[in-house]
């Protein structure tokens, strides 16, 4: 085929008359577009070989043909959404890849570069893009909202007694208190070096690495280290602030992203300086220490502004966990790194490295000199001790009253749920935003009067004489014990022994109400240890003097134990009645269990022994072997042999131990197999034993506790009566046997060993029920009892208390604190007398004031008031015609209230001085039989 037939051309047109058709123009445009798409200008300039040209021409012709088809389809379909010119999807992809991608990349890189310069160049626009993006997310995403001010995070905590009086308060901290510049620079050297610009930073650091609350360089490094198996945190100081504000403690990607957004917003809203001050005021820097100001006081006993950079860096090294503090303090107290266990040694090295790294950074910035840097570097244990740490006690437990100390212990023993967050007790007390109130049932005035009563009694001449008498034959055995150790004895004669003993007598009181809530608590004493010897001295701050170290002796805490001795007998008696069908009137022989050789005495003796012996029958106070006593009398006289034999009864023993297991009472199971357990020779926990006695009131065992309720901003987060750990458990649930046991306990206090309180509390009759116990050789003595100032306990159940008074020594050995009737009973009597007199006075004031309002003649006559006081004094101190005290017939505050009502009655008008009618009233009461309680 010739060229003429192949390529038909249009007939020639006259010159000047040519008008191109629309079809020609379109055809040329199609060919030009296909040509430009196939051949680039660079390729044409560079030159193409023939093979490449032919290949590209074929591709160009193919594109022309497909584009013609595309246009035809558009014309026929009438729409713009007709088929794309390249039916092959791969060609479509190639078109986008080679035509649009270069344009997108070119303009995208240009825009990104401009934004980068705009975002990171120092000045008012620095980080603006990051903050704008964060603001957009904050406004649109369902994340936590920031408070209007950081002060909303302010924290306070109060421990209050049952009347609302403050026992202990932590106050409201200023969480944005302005910090010294040195503290800011030290903490940033430890935690966040690129938070603020510094004139001595390299230019690229101030330009690109100073961050607006989130350091992406640090985040990238943390990801790299995590992938390499070296996990570490990447939170900046502001991200940690955000975590505090929103209570976000879980480590999840979602939470971390939320922290990032909020960190940007916190810097934008509050500024960097306020955020840094907030961090320094609230960051945990050791066990239960929050904020650098508190740390400066605790670790160095100085104001924060007085610390040098080494000391500030040392505090910063305790972030983020208190194990570093523990490890460093082990070294401060004399241990070496080699002596620490592997975990603590690792924490110590981490703290050392952090201090040295911070000092190096401060040195490079010119904040410390070369000499200071070399002097402050840590390289061995001695360099750590030169930092200047003082020995201290945690603010949660140090320098506290006994009550607040134990309230804090209880609060910190559990976690709490606040707005869906789990918060530890330590955080609640020291770090939780808002007003935290820990409500207790403590009677603060009763606790204070109990302290005074104990202190006065221990220093009284009468008790000192008890100690002298009971230790007259013991001091030489104690001297011999020291000589056998061998050890230099701290005394040389009896007078020296007595001085040492008087220093180390320890007494404690704990009382609970019927619900098991602790209402009074006096734990013991604080001693100082100096070169191995203990000396009781008075200090205002509880600090050691002359290198001494404090030794806290708390007789009443949850871990403290006592020898219950004879106080276990009512429990054995109850289970004998329940399991062995014993009755209070049943009699038992005073017959010892075994006749055994005792090495310390060098002879055979009857065991168990009573407070009287059988060696010389019939003489003096000695008893004939085999004499019979009822169960009631055996408890009133505290006959050991009878209860040892009762306990050997398997039915009694099993019933008693099963009940102990049911309530979770801790006891030595090996000891419980043998008869000495039945006379209280094995240790039991103090608070649990008090709860056992409290169960005699209604049969229910309740673990004693201090905390009644906890609120945060008036919202309850803990309620004792809803805590499963404090649910009542049945213990003495056989009512008849429980009432019989209570009657016996009244008899013990009316005419047994408990009656020794009569000089201290004359009105004890039938108001106190309880049992005494004295350990072998009187090494300790205890009195557990119930008391209510009213005769009718049922109507005044909320005023019933169960109290345990314990006397012991903190040194052990051969020392006697006297019998329970000579110490604990006397102290209990003084305390009960105070409660009784207080209740009586409140009742009289109330009744007399009401009469004054009702009776104008009485209100305006002082003689009548004097008569009332005279008559009431007679009821309290006078005797009946038979010689018995009148008050034993007019029991309790409620009984005296009935008598006062008669005296104030407007009908008989005894208050006017009508002694004859008052005497008739006294005879009426004296003719009544004394009430024997059956509760």
């Amino acid at each position: 085929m010739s060229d003429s037939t192949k390529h038909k051309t249009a007939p020639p047109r006259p010159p000047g008359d040519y008008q191109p058709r629309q079809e020609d123009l379109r055809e040329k445009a199609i060919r030009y577009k296909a040509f430009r798409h196939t051949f680039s200008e660079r390729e044409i300039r560079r030159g193409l070989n023939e093979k490449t040209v032919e290949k590209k021409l074929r591709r160009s012709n193919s594109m022309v043909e497909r584009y013609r088809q595309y246009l035809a389809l558009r014309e026929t379909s009438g729409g713009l959404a007709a088929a794309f010119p390249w039916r092959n999807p791969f060609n479509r992809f190639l078109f986008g890849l080679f035509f649009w991608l270069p344009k997108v990349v070119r303009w995208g890189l240009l825009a990104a570069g401009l934004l980068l310069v705009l975002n990171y160049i120092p000045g008012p626009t620095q980080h603006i893009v990051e903050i704008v993006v964060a603001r957009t997310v904050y406004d649109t995403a369902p994340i936590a909202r920031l408070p209007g001010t950081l002060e909303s995070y302010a924290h306070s905590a109060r421990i209050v007694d049952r009347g609302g009086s403050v026992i202990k308060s932590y106050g409201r901290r200023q969480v944005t208190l302005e910090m010294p510049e040195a503290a800011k620079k030290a903490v940033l050297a430890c935690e966040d070096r690129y938070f603020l610009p510094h004139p001595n930073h390299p230019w690229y650091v101030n330009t690109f690495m100073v961050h607006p609350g989130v350091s992406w360089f640090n985040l990238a490094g943390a990801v790299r280290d995590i992938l390499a198996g070296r996990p570490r945190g990447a939170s900046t100081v502001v991200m940690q602030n955000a975590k505090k504000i929103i209570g976000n403690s879980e480590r999840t990607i979602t939470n971390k992203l939320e922290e990032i957004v909020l960190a940007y917003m916190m810097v934008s809203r509050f500024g960097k300086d306020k955020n840094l001050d907030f961090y320094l005021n609230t960051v945990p820097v050791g066990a239960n220490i929050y904020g650098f100001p508190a740390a400066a006081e605790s670790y160095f006993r100085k104001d924060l502004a007085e610390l040098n950079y080494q000391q500030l860096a040392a505090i910063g090294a305790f972030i983020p966990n208190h194990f570093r503090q523990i490890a460093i303090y082990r070294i401060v107290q004399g241990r070496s790194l080699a002596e620490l266990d592997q975990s603590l040694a690792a924490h110590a090295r981490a703290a050392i490295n952090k201090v040295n790294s911070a000092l190096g950074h401060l040195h490079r910035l010119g904040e410390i000199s070369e000499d200071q840097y070399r002097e402050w570097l840590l390289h061995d244990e001695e360099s750590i001790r030169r930092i200047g740490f003082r020995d201290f006690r945690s603010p949660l437990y140090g320098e506290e009253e006994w009550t607040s100390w134990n309230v804090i212990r209880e609060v910190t023993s559990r976690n709490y749920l606040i707005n869906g967050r789990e918060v530890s007790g330590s955080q609640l007390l020291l770090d939780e935003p808002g007003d935290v109130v820990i409500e207790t049932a403590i009677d603060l005035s009763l606790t204070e009067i109990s302290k005074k009563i104990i202190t006065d009694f221990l220093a009284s001449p009468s008790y000192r004489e008890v100690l002298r008498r009971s230790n007259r034959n013991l001091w030489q055995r104690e001297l011999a014990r020291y000589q056998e150790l061998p050890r230099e004895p701290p005394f040389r004669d009896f007078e020296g022994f007595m001085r040492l003993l008087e220093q180390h007598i320890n007494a404690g009181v704990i009382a609970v109400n019927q619900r098991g809530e602790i209402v009074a608590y006096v734990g013991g004493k604080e001693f100082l240890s100096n070169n191995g010897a203990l000396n009781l001295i008075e200090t205002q701050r509880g600090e050691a003097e002359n290198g001494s170290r404090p030794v806290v002796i708390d007789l009443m805490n949850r871990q403290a134990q006592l020898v219950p001795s004879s106080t276990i007998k009512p429990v054995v008696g109850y289970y004998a009645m329940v399991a062995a069908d014993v009755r209070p009137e049943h009699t038992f022989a005073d017959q010892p269990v075994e006749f055994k050789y005792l090495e310390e005495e060098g002879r055979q003796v009857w065991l168990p022994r009573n407070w009287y012996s059988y060696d010389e029958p019939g003489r003096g106070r000695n008893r004939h072997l085999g004499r019979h006593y009822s169960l009631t009398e055996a408890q009133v006289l505290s006959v050991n042999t009878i209860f040892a034999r009762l306990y050997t009864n398997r039915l009694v023993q099993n019933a008693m131990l099963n009940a102990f297991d049911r309530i979770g009472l801790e006891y030595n199971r090996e000891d419980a197999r043998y008869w000495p357990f039945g006379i209280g020779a094995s240790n039991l926990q103090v608070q649990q034993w008090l709860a056992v006695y409290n169960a005699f009131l209604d049969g229910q065992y309740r673990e004693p506790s201090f905390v009644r309720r906890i609120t945060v901003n008036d919202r309850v987060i803990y309620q004792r009566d809803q805590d499963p750990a404090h649910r009542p458990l049945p213990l003495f649930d056989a009512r008849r046997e429980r009432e019989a046991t209570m009657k016996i306990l009244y008899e013990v206090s009316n005419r047994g060993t408990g009656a020794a309180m009569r000089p201290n509390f004359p009105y004890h009759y039938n108001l106190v029920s309880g049992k005494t116990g004295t350990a072998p050789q009187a090494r300790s003595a205890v009195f557990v009892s119930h008391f209510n100032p009213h005769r009718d306990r049922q109507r005044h159940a909320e005023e019933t208390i169960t109290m345990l008074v314990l006397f012991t020594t903190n040194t052990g050995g051969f020392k006697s604190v006297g019998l329970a009737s000579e110490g604990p009973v006397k102290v209990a009597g003084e305390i009960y007398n105070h409660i009784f007199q207080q209740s009586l006075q409140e009742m009289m004031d109330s009744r007399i004031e009401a009469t004054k309002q009702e009776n104008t003649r009485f209100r305006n006559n002082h003689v009548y008031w004097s008569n009332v006081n005279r008559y009431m004094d007679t009821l309290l101190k006078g005797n009946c015609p038979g010689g018995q005290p009148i008050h034993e017939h007019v029991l309790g505050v409620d009984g005296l209230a009935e008598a006062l009502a008669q005296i104030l009655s407007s009908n008989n008008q005894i208050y006017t001085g009508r002694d004859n009618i008052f005497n008739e009233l006294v005879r009426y009461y004296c003719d009544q039989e004394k009430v024997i309680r059956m509760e």
Side-chain angles (χ1 to χ4, degrees):
M1 187 180 294
S2 66
D3 290 340
S4 59
T5 57
K6 253 197 249 182
H7 304 286
K8 295 183 180 179
T9 58
R13 295 179 182 271
D17 192 33
Y18 177 70
Q19 294 292 332
R21 291 182 302 172
Q22 186 69 25
E23 290 78 3
D24 295 336
L25 293 176
R26 187 171 68 176
E27 184 70 18
K28 289 180 180 180
I30 291 172
R31 289 184 174 277
Y32 179 74
K33 186 173 183 179
F35 183 83
R36 284 294 306 271
H37 180 71
T38 309
F39 294 92
S40 68
E41 292 181 6
R42 181 183 301 176
E43 290 175 329
I44 295 173
R45 288 196 303 268
R46 191 173 57 190
L48 299 170
N49 57 43
E50 185 177 352
K51 185 176 180 180
T52 304
V53 170
E54 290 180 358
K55 182 178 180 181
K56 285 183 173 289
L57 283 175
R58 286 195 301 271
R59 185 182 300 168
S60 178
N61 292 335
S62 176
M63 289 182 67
V64 168
E65 180 64 25
R66 285 197 292 274
Y67 201 72
R68 286 178 184 150
Q69 296 172 4
Y70 168 69
L71 293 176
L73 286 171
R74 278 185 59 181
E75 291 173 357
T76 57
S77 65
L80 298 176
F84 198 75
W86 307 296
R87 294 173 183 171
N88 188 337
F90 182 69
N91 288 338
R92 184 177 184 178
F93 168 75
L94 290 177
F95 179 79
L97 182 66
F98 293 106
F99 185 78
W100 291 111
L101 184 62
K103 294 179 174 59
V104 171
V105 170
R106 181 166 61 250
W107 288 105
L109 288 175
L110 180 62
L114 289 173
L115 289 176
L116 185 66
V117 172
L118 179 68
N119 195 55
Y120 283 97
I121 193 168
T125 64
Q126 189 173 26
H127 308 298
I128 191 171
V129 174
E130 292 175 66
I131 293 174
V132 167
V133 172
R135 180 67 200 220
T136 303
V137 175
Y138 181 78
D139 289 341
T140 57
I143 61 177
R145 303 289 97 183
L146 292 178
T149 171
L150 289 173
E151 287 294 345
S152 64
Y153 185 80
H155 159 84
S156 68
R158 289 173 291 146
I159 301 170
V160 299
D161 73 354
R162 66 180 183 179
S165 298
V166 175
I167 300 174
K168 176 72 178 177
S169 174
Y170 290 100
R172 184 171 288 275
R173 287 202 300 266
Q174 297 184 46
V175 296
T176 55
L177 184 69
E178 189 172 350
M179 295 287 103
E181 284 300 317
K184 294 181 180 180
K185 291 173 182 176
V187 79
L188 290 179
C190 290
E191 290 294 301
D192 197 348
R193 296 179 180 178
Y194 305 129
F195 182 56
L196 293 174
H198 192 281
N200 292 337
H201 275 321
W203 69 270
Y204 56 84
V205 171
N206 286 333
T207 302
F208 298 112
M209 297 181 69
V210 172
H211 63 80
V214 179
S215 174
W216 292 100
F217 295 99
N218 198 25
L219 284 169
V223 171
R224 179 200 61 202
D225 290 347
I226 290 171
L227 294 175
R230 301 186 302 272
R232 67 175 177 90
S235 295
T236 63
V237 294
V238 187
M239 290 173 69
Q240 293 181 57
N241 288 347
K243 184 182 294 185
K244 289 190 185 80
I245 289 291
I246 64 175
N248 181 358
S249 58
E250 295 184 11
R251 294 186 176 183
T252 64
I253 294 176
T254 302
N255 287 347
K256 184 61 68 176
L257 292 174
E258 187 174 22
E259 285 174 29
I260 289 172
V261 173
L262 292 177
Y264 282 122
M265 293 306 302
M266 288 186 72
V267 171
S268 175
R269 180 171 295 182
F270 306 120
K272 286 190 173 184
D273 286 335
K274 280 288 186 184
N275 269 280
L276 190 52
D277 289 338
F278 178 80
Y279 181 82
L280 282 160
N281 276 286
T282 60
V283 63
V285 278
N288 304 317
I289 299 176
Y290 290 81
F292 271 58
E297 173 67 20
S298 296
Y299 294 133
F300 301 103
R301 189 67 79 189
K302 292 180 180 180
D303 290 334
L304 185 59
E306 299 178 71
L307 302 188
N308 60 40
Y309 274 112
Q310 184 198 40
Q311 293 167 333
L312 291 166
I315 294 175
F318 295 157
I319 306 170
N321 65 65
H322 68 277
F323 291 107
R324 293 180 183 175
Q325 174 230 47
I326 294 171
I328 291 296
Y329 258 85
R330 294 283 173 85
I331 295 173
V332 170
Q333 293 163 357
R335 304 281 289 278
S336 68
L337 272 170
E339 292 175 321
L340 300 181
D341 62 54
Q342 186 175 357
S343 175
L344 277 184
H347 286 299
R349 292 189 183 93
I352 293 169
N353 292 338
K354 194 168 186 178
V355 172
N356 289 342
S357 176
L359 292 174
H361 182 71
L362 292 168
H363 178 234
R364 288 189 294 274
L365 295 180
E367 297 294 340
I368 61 176
S369 66
E370 179 71 22
D371 291 341
Q372 288 173 323
Y373 174 63
R374 294 186 179 278
E375 178 187 354
W376 288 339
L377 272 180
L378 303 181
H379 46 81
D380 59 14
E381 292 84 354
E382 192 56 38
S383 63
I384 293 173
R385 297 180 188 116
R386 286 198 298 269
I387 293 175
F389 286 112
R390 61 174 283 272
D391 199 0
F392 80 103
R393 286 176 286 165
S394 163
L396 280 188
Y397 303 120
E399 300 169 10
E400 301 279 0
E401 295 295 332
W402 291 106
T403 298
S404 56
W405 181 350
N406 284 277
V407 170
I408 291 164
R409 276 180 169 175
E410 186 174 316
V411 171
T412 55
S413 68
R414 62 174 72 94
N415 293 336
Y416 305 88
L417 200 63
I418 303 176
N419 296 329
R421 299 180 291 111
E422 189 174 62
V423 175
S424 71
S426 297
Q427 290 174 315
L428 180 72
L429 279 170
L430 295 174
D431 200 39
E432 179 63 24
D435 187 26
V436 179
V437 180
I438 297 110
E439 299 175 13
T440 71
I442 290 290
D443 184 334
L444 202 55
S445 63
L446 179 60
T447 297
E448 293 303 315
I449 196 65
S450 299
K451 291 180 187 177
K452 185 178 186 306
I453 288 170
I454 288 174
T455 303
D456 292 346
F457 182 81
L458 293 179
S460 66
S462 60
Y463 184 63
R464 290 187 175 184
E465 182 56 34
V466 168
L467 293 178
R468 296 181 71 87
R469 184 179 66 252
S470 58
N471 286 281
R472 183 69 65 179
N473 299 322
L474 286 177
W475 77 274
Q476 290 179 330
R477 295 178 67 181
E478 179 70 355
L479 183 64
R481 185 177 74 89
Y482 272 101
Q483 292 171 344
E484 290 173 359
L485 287 177
R487 182 178 171 185
E488 183 68 23
F491 59 90
R492 297 185 180 279
D493 53 22
F494 180 65
E495 295 304 322
F497 171 85
M498 288 304 302
R499 284 194 296 270
L500 185 68
L501 175 62
E502 288 172 6
Q503 287 180 336
H504 294 92
I505 289 290
N506 208 350
V509 168
I510 182 170
V512 297
N513 60 26
Q514 197 163 330
R515 292 186 294 272
E517 299 167 335
I518 296 174
V519 298
Y521 189 98
V522 181
K525 293 180 181 178
E526 185 174 275
F527 300 86
L528 294 180
S529 171
N530 190 9
N531 298 325
L534 288 171
N535 298 286
L536 175 63
I537 66 173
E538 296 180 356
T539 68
Q540 290 184 344
R541 301 185 67 90
E543 292 183 19
E545 296 182 1
N546 300 323
S548 300
R549 293 175 55 77
V551 177
V552 177
I553 308 295
D554 187 355
L555 297 179
M556 299 295 167
N557 66 35
R558 289 189 180 277
Q559 288 73 43
Q561 295 185 332
L562 83 165
V563 178
S565 53
S566 292
T567 61
I568 204 170
K569 291 172 183 173
V571 180
V572 175
Y574 169 87
Y575 285 104
M577 287 188 279
V578 169
D581 201 25
V582 173
R583 293 290 175 265
E585 63 275 11
H586 289 177
T587 60
F588 302 90
D590 177 8
Q591 187 72 37
V593 176
E594 59 181 322
F595 194 60
K596 185 177 180 181
Y597 179 83
L598 284 188
E599 186 175 353
E600 63 180 11
E601 295 197 16
R603 63 191 179 108
Q604 284 191 315
V605 296
W606 289 106
L607 294 176
R609 291 187 286 185
N610 293 316
W611 51 272
Y612 50 84
S613 67
Y614 305 109
D615 293 341
E616 300 178 41
R619 296 187 59 184
R621 297 171 64 190
N622 295 333
R623 299 296 200 274
H624 289 287
L625 187 66
R627 182 172 178 176
H628 285 70
Y629 300 93
S630 69
L631 183 64
T632 298
E633 289 300 310
Q635 295 198 47
V636 171
L637 296 174
S638 201
V639 183
N640 286 339
T641 56
I642 291 176
F643 290 93
R645 284 196 172 277
L646 283 173
Y647 185 74
T648 59
N649 184 317
R650 285 297 176 188
L651 294 176
V652 175
Q653 183 179 130
N654 290 340
M656 179 172 160
L657 296 182
N658 286 339
F660 284 1
D661 291 339
R662 186 169 63 249
I663 63 174
L665 188 74
E666 296 183 17
Y667 62 92
N668 188 307
R669 296 183 181 277
E670 182 64 22
D671 289 352
R673 296 171 56 193
Y674 306 105
W675 62 260
F677 191 86
I679 58 172
S682 183
N683 283 356
L684 299 172
Q685 287 191 358
V686 171
Q687 290 194 17
Q688 287 190 324
W689 196 237
L690 176 66
V692 167
Y693 261 74
N694 197 42
F696 278 125
L697 295 173
D698 64 358
Q700 299 296 306
Y701 175 90
R702 301 171 178 87
E703 282 280 347
S705 66
F706 286 92
V707 179
R708 172 182 285 176
R709 192 171 70 153
I710 300 176
T711 62
V712 178
N713 294 332
D714 297 325
R715 189 172 64 83
V716 177
I717 66 166
Y718 174 80
Q719 193 92 20
R720 182 188 188 276
D721 56 13
Q722 297 176 7
D723 187 349
H726 294 294
R727 70 184 186 280
L729 299 172
L731 179 60
F732 303 124
D733 49 356
R735 181 175 180 178
R736 185 181 67 176
E737 286 76 9
R738 185 179 72 251
E739 290 178 348
T741 302
M742 284 295 295
K743 178 180 176 181
I744 294 171
L745 292 175
Y746 277 114
E747 286 300 298
V748 172
S749 296
N750 288 344
R751 58 188 180 87
T753 50
M757 73 174 66
R758 183 177 288 111
N760 312 86
F761 181 33
Y763 318 110
H764 71 93
Y765 182 81
N766 265 9
L767 297 182
V768 180
S769 54
K771 186 71 179 76
T772 58
T774 304
Q777 298 177 346
R779 289 171 178 163
S780 66
V782 63
F783 180 46
V784 198
S785 54
H786 318 99
F787 171 72
N788 190 309
H790 295 86
R791 175 188 61 202
D792 188 349
R793 285 186 178 176
Q794 300 303 322
R795 293 182 58 188
H796 302 274
E798 72 281 356
E799 295 184 56
T800 300
I801 65 172
T802 304
M803 185 167 71
L804 186 150
V805 183
L806 175 64
F807 276 38
T808 186
T809 71
N810 63 295
T811 55
F814 295 100
K815 299 179 183 69
S816 170
V817 298
L819 302 176
S821 58
E822 297 172 316
V825 169
K826 303 285 189 181
V827 167
E830 291 279 1
I831 295 171
Y832 291 154
N833 187 56
H834 166 78
I835 299 172
F836 179 83
Q837 296 291 350
Q838 188 178 51
S839 298
L840 178 63
Q841 192 61 54
E842 290 173 358
M843 181 274 293
M844 290 180 60
D845 291 345
S846 174
R847 295 295 178 93
I848 292 173
E849 186 61 32
T851 304
K852 287 179 181 180
Q853 298 299 322
E854 297 170 0
N855 188 333
T856 56
R857 291 184 60 199
F858 182 81
R859 179 169 66 239
N860 299 319
N861 196 314
H862 291 267
V863 175
Y864 294 169
W865 304 355
S866 176
N867 287 336
V868 171
N869 288 329
R870 178 167 59 87
Y871 291 142
M872 291 299 293
D873 195 55
T874 300
L875 291 175
L876 289 168
K877 299 179 181 178
N879 291 327
C880 293
Q884 292 178 333
I886 298 173
H887 63 75
E888 291 189 0
H889 297 267
V890 191
L891 287 178
V893 172
D894 47 353
L896 290 166
E898 293 173 1
L900 180 59
Q902 294 296 323
I903 294 171
L904 295 174
S905 170
S906 58
N907 295 326
N908 50 40
Q909 296 184 346
I910 296 176
Y911 62 85
T912 61
R914 303 177 72 177
D915 291 351
N916 56 333
I917 299 180
F918 174 72
N919 291 334
E920 289 182 11
L921 180 65
V922 169
R923 282 194 294 272
Y924 167 79
Y925 281 118
C926 290
D927 288 342
Q928 306 298 313
E929 291 186 6
K930 293 195 293 185
V931 178
I932 303 298
R933 286 194 179 274
M934 291 291 294
E935 299 179 27

